[in-house]
mmCIF file of all heavy atoms in Angstrom:
data_model
loop_
_atom_site.group_PDB
_atom_site.id
_atom_site.type_symbol
_atom_site.label_atom_id
_atom_site.label_comp_id
_atom_site.label_asym_id
_atom_site.label_seq_id
_atom_site.Cartn_x
_atom_site.Cartn_y
_atom_site.Cartn_z
ATOM 1 N N GLU T 93 25.056 -19.724 12.020
ATOM 2 C CA GLU T 93 24.076 -20.584 11.219
ATOM 3 C C GLU T 93 24.087 -22.007 11.758
ATOM 4 O O GLU T 93 25.176 -22.525 12.039
ATOM 5 C CB GLU T 93 24.514 -20.506 9.728
ATOM 6 C CG GLU T 93 23.496 -21.170 8.839
ATOM 7 C CD GLU T 93 24.003 -21.170 7.369
ATOM 8 O OE1 GLU T 93 25.181 -21.051 7.101
ATOM 9 O OE2 GLU T 93 23.105 -21.271 6.436
ATOM 10 N N CYS T 94 22.902 -22.664 11.716
ATOM 11 C CA CYS T 94 22.808 -24.009 12.103
ATOM 12 C C CYS T 94 22.942 -24.881 10.859
ATOM 13 O O CYS T 94 22.262 -24.768 9.864
ATOM 14 C CB CYS T 94 21.418 -24.293 12.747
ATOM 15 S SG CYS T 94 21.227 -26.075 13.216
ATOM 16 N N ALA T 95 23.918 -25.818 10.998
ATOM 17 C CA ALA T 95 24.291 -26.699 9.802
ATOM 18 C C ALA T 95 23.125 -27.710 9.585
ATOM 19 O O ALA T 95 22.971 -28.259 8.538
ATOM 20 C CB ALA T 95 25.558 -27.431 10.040
ATOM 21 N N GLN T 96 22.337 -27.915 10.636
ATOM 22 C CA GLN T 96 21.232 -28.926 10.547
ATOM 23 C C GLN T 96 19.922 -28.306 9.956
ATOM 24 O O GLN T 96 19.370 -28.914 9.025
ATOM 25 C CB GLN T 96 20.982 -29.589 11.945
ATOM 26 C CG GLN T 96 19.959 -30.694 11.915
ATOM 27 C CD GLN T 96 20.039 -31.544 13.135
ATOM 28 O OE1 GLN T 96 20.986 -32.350 13.359
ATOM 29 N NE2 GLN T 96 19.035 -31.457 13.933
ATOM 30 N N CYS T 97 19.445 -27.273 10.602
ATOM 31 C CA CYS T 97 18.173 -26.746 10.071
ATOM 32 C C CYS T 97 18.291 -25.530 9.184
ATOM 33 O O CYS T 97 17.315 -25.141 8.605
ATOM 34 C CB CYS T 97 17.252 -26.468 11.340
ATOM 35 S SG CYS T 97 17.808 -24.990 12.311
ATOM 36 N N GLY T 98 19.487 -24.938 9.125
ATOM 37 C CA GLY T 98 19.659 -23.748 8.300
ATOM 38 C C GLY T 98 19.177 -22.413 8.845
ATOM 39 O O GLY T 98 19.187 -21.423 8.097
ATOM 40 N N GLY T 99 18.791 -22.500 10.104
ATOM 41 C CA GLY T 99 18.330 -21.246 10.737
ATOM 42 C C GLY T 99 19.522 -20.326 11.006
ATOM 43 O O GLY T 99 20.646 -20.784 11.071
ATOM 44 N N VAL T 100 19.206 -19.052 11.300
ATOM 45 C CA VAL T 100 20.333 -18.117 11.421
ATOM 46 C C VAL T 100 20.041 -17.178 12.683
ATOM 47 O O VAL T 100 18.988 -16.693 12.872
ATOM 48 C CB VAL T 100 20.562 -17.254 10.237
ATOM 49 C CG1 VAL T 100 21.386 -15.991 10.498
ATOM 50 C CG2 VAL T 100 21.122 -18.013 9.039
ATOM 51 N N TRP T 101 21.143 -17.089 13.456
ATOM 52 C CA TRP T 101 21.021 -16.195 14.556
ATOM 53 C C TRP T 101 21.823 -14.826 14.308
ATOM 54 O O TRP T 101 22.951 -14.904 13.715
ATOM 55 C CB TRP T 101 21.685 -16.851 15.844
ATOM 56 C CG TRP T 101 21.683 -15.906 17.037
ATOM 57 C CD1 TRP T 101 22.758 -15.237 17.466
ATOM 58 C CD2 TRP T 101 20.645 -15.579 17.947
ATOM 59 N NE1 TRP T 101 22.484 -14.418 18.590
ATOM 60 C CE2 TRP T 101 21.199 -14.621 18.932
ATOM 61 C CE3 TRP T 101 19.303 -15.919 18.006
ATOM 62 C CZ2 TRP T 101 20.368 -14.047 19.889
ATOM 63 C CZ3 TRP T 101 18.517 -15.348 19.035
ATOM 64 C CH2 TRP T 101 19.095 -14.486 19.995
ATOM 65 N N LEU T 102 21.256 -13.813 14.627
ATOM 66 C CA LEU T 102 21.897 -12.449 14.315
ATOM 67 C C LEU T 102 21.896 -11.646 15.649
ATOM 68 O O LEU T 102 20.832 -11.312 16.194
ATOM 69 C CB LEU T 102 21.156 -11.770 13.333
ATOM 70 C CG LEU T 102 21.724 -10.496 12.612
ATOM 71 C CD1 LEU T 102 22.975 -10.865 11.915
ATOM 72 C CD2 LEU T 102 20.679 -9.935 11.579
ATOM 73 N N ASP T 103 23.142 -11.230 15.998
ATOM 74 C CA ASP T 103 23.255 -10.220 17.120
ATOM 75 C C ASP T 103 23.270 -8.907 16.428
ATOM 76 O O ASP T 103 23.940 -8.658 15.476
ATOM 77 C CB ASP T 103 24.712 -10.410 17.855
ATOM 78 C CG ASP T 103 24.714 -11.802 18.575
ATOM 79 O OD1 ASP T 103 23.809 -11.907 19.407
ATOM 80 O OD2 ASP T 103 25.624 -12.425 18.311
ATOM 81 N N THR T 104 22.408 -8.032 16.953
ATOM 82 C CA THR T 104 22.075 -6.877 16.171
ATOM 83 C C THR T 104 22.513 -5.569 16.669
ATOM 84 O O THR T 104 22.120 -4.498 16.167
ATOM 85 C CB THR T 104 20.559 -6.852 15.978
ATOM 86 O OG1 THR T 104 19.990 -7.066 17.275
ATOM 87 C CG2 THR T 104 20.150 -7.824 14.979
ATOM 88 N N GLY T 105 23.377 -5.538 17.715
ATOM 89 C CA GLY T 105 23.720 -4.224 18.301
ATOM 90 C C GLY T 105 24.217 -3.166 17.364
ATOM 91 O O GLY T 105 23.748 -2.063 17.460
#
Side-chain angles (χ1 to χ4, degrees):
E93 186 180 26
C94 178
Q96 185 161 292
C97 70
V100 166
W101 174 261
L102 191 60
D103 293 304
T104 47

